[in-house]
Amino acid sequence: MTALAPTLEAFFYQRLMTQRHASPNTISAYRDTFRLLVTYLHDATGTQPSDLVFETLDAGTISAFLDHLEADRGVGVATRNARLAAIHSLFRFAAFRHPEHSGLIARVLDIPTKRTQRTDISYLAQGEVEALLSAPDTTTRRGRRDHVLIAVAIQTGLRVSELVGLRRHDVTLGTGAYLTCVGKGRKQRSTPLTVETANIVEQWLNEQQDHPDAPLFPGPTGGPLTTDAVRRIVQRHATAAADTHPSIAAKHVTPHILRHTCAMRLLHAGVDRAVIALWLGHESIRTTDIYQHADLAIKERALARTTPGQPPTMPRYRPPDELLSFLESL
């Protein structure tokens, strides 16, 4: 019988922290997965988490746990797949430490992810962006902070975790202004600022006059805002903006919607997909395909080319010779 606790501890300390140098966000997500798993096993078997054995985690038990997440905890398919990915990572690590469980491990690794239904992403149109930027009360310090935060989020497309991690020294002003952040996977990237956004950020920095290592967007106590605080800020101002621009009320505006808005503005401006992927810090250019699927203008242009009565943009190919015609018919 192999105790689960030593394997799980080694997985976090050796695999995630030492070998992979996993980010705090990754470690937190994996921690939550296994906390839910051992709690589920304790409730199902009555065994204390520290006394659980590896043999308990067979494919049937893991599948039942995933069903429990969806049916009882109400998580979506994407979250269910993320929990399964964490479990798969543990079992790949365990395969080297416990070859005696190779059959059990192989069966768990064979549990497939669920396919999700892809829906078009939501983003803000130009009028909605202007209404949202006008919502904060810039006569107050908090309102000016929120205005700068929203402007930077829309123009740079940073993730909410990247926004709250920004420090004053991450901003470089002057000609070719830009800001630097440490993004997903501990990858550092720089994102240029428009003249308008750079001016807004400069005014905010001049107002604060804090230490260079101070948060760019401080909370009430001077520390960085939390990701939940940023979500509340965006949602509060979106509610206020809906009074002047009612279409916003139909959208669930979150910091990630502002990231989508940045990507769609770049796409509409004719920026190449590879550049958009670099701008947003995507691991693969294929991730950027979701914005092309959501771009109605692209679909409308395709529809215009199929409208009866309009000549095609390119003439149909016709073989110029009988021999070529014969070859084409094969």
Side-chain angles (χ1 to χ4, degrees), residues 294-306:
D295 190 0
L296 188 60
I298 292 178
K299 299 171 186 176
E300 289 174 342
R301 289 195 294 270
L303 178 64
R305 294 172 183 171
T306 63

Side-chain angles (χ1 to χ4, degrees), residues 191-205:
T191 306
L193 299 174
T194 64
V195 174
E196 182 181 4
T197 304
N199 290 337
I200 295 173
V201 173
E202 184 175 18
Q203 293 173 11
W204 173 247
L205 291 175

Side-chain angles (χ1 to χ4, degrees), residues 143-207:
R144 290 190 293 274
R145 179 204 64 190
D146 295 353
H147 177 73
V148 178
L149 172 65
I150 294 172
V152 169
I154 292 174
Q155 196 257 287
T156 64
L158 294 185
R159 300 177 178 91
V160 64
S161 59
E162 296 166 347
L163 285 170
V164 300
L166 289 175
R167 304 286 175 169
R168 291 170 59 89
H169 62 69
D170 293 325
V171 181
T172 301
L173 298 173
T175 304
Y178 64 93
L179 55 81
T180 304
C181 73
V182 178
K184 195 173 183 180
R186 296 183 182 272
K187 292 179 295 186
Q188 188 178 61
R189 74 179 189 277
S190 298
T191 306
L193 299 174
T194 64
V195 174
E196 182 181 4
T197 304
N199 290 337
I200 295 173
V201 173
E202 184 175 18
Q203 293 173 11
W204 173 247
L205 291 175
N206 292 336
E207 177 182 340

Side-chain angles (χ1 to χ4, degrees), residues 82-316:
R83 302 300 187 201
L84 178 59
I87 294 171
H88 278 171
S89 183
L90 169 66
F91 274 72
R92 284 191 292 269
F93 171 76
F96 294 97
R97 293 174 61 94
H98 303 294
E100 69 275 14
H101 297 311
S102 59
L104 179 149
I105 290 171
R107 287 188 290 274
V108 171
L109 292 177
D110 280 341
I111 299 175
T113 58
K114 271 193 174 182
R115 297 187 64 179
T116 59
Q117 181 179 2
R118 184 174 64 187
T119 57
D120 283 346
I121 62 171
S122 178
Y123 62 95
L124 301 181
Q126 181 59 32
E128 296 168 336
V129 168
E130 295 172 357
L132 183 61
L133 287 171
S134 301
D137 180 7
T138 54
T139 62
T140 67
R141 177 183 175 278
R142 188 176 73 166
R144 290 190 293 274
R145 179 204 64 190
D146 295 353
H147 177 73
V148 178
L149 172 65
I150 294 172
V152 169
I154 292 174
Q155 196 257 287
T156 64
L158 294 185
R159 300 177 178 91
V160 64
S161 59
E162 296 166 347
L163 285 170
V164 300
L166 289 175
R167 304 286 175 169
R168 291 170 59 89
H169 62 69
D170 293 325
V171 181
T172 301
L173 298 173
T175 304
Y178 64 93
L179 55 81
T180 304
C181 73
V182 178
K184 195 173 183 180
R186 296 183 182 272
K187 292 179 295 186
Q188 188 178 61
R189 74 179 189 277
S190 298
T191 306
L193 299 174
T194 64
V195 174
E196 182 181 4
T197 304
N199 290 337
I200 295 173
V201 173
E202 184 175 18
Q203 293 173 11
W204 173 247
L205 291 175
N206 292 336
E207 177 182 340
Q208 299 303 308
Q209 297 295 335
D210 288 331
H211 189 274
D213 197 44
L216 181 60
F217 304 116
T221 61
L225 291 169
T226 65
T227 55
D228 285 338
V230 175
R231 292 188 185 96
R232 290 193 295 269
I233 288 170
V234 172
Q235 290 169 0
R236 181 174 69 249
H237 293 306
T239 301
D243 293 337
T244 58
H245 213 291
S247 62
I248 297 180
K251 301 177 179 180
H252 180 56
V253 183
T254 65
H256 211 66
I257 295 300
L258 305 187
R259 177 172 164 85
H260 290 330
T261 300
C262 170
M264 294 304 295
R265 287 160 70 110
L266 293 171
L267 186 63
H268 290 158
V271 177
D272 185 78
R273 285 189 308 138
V275 177
I276 297 176
L278 290 172
W279 188 292
L280 298 179
H282 284 162
E283 183 72 24
S284 168
I285 190 175
R286 294 186 62 184
T287 309
T288 315
D289 289 343
I290 61 172
Y291 302 112
Q292 286 194 309
H293 285 290
D295 190 0
L296 188 60
I298 292 178
K299 299 171 186 176
E300 289 174 342
R301 289 195 294 270
L303 178 64
R305 294 172 183 171
T306 63
T307 302
Q310 293 186 357
T313 55
M314 293 290 293
R316 183 183 296 275

Side-chain angles (χ1 to χ4, degrees), residues 54-63 91 104 108 111:
F54 208 83
E55 291 84 350
T56 307
L57 302 179
D58 58 15
T61 300
I62 298 300
S63 296
F91 274 72
L104 179 149
V108 171
I111 299 175

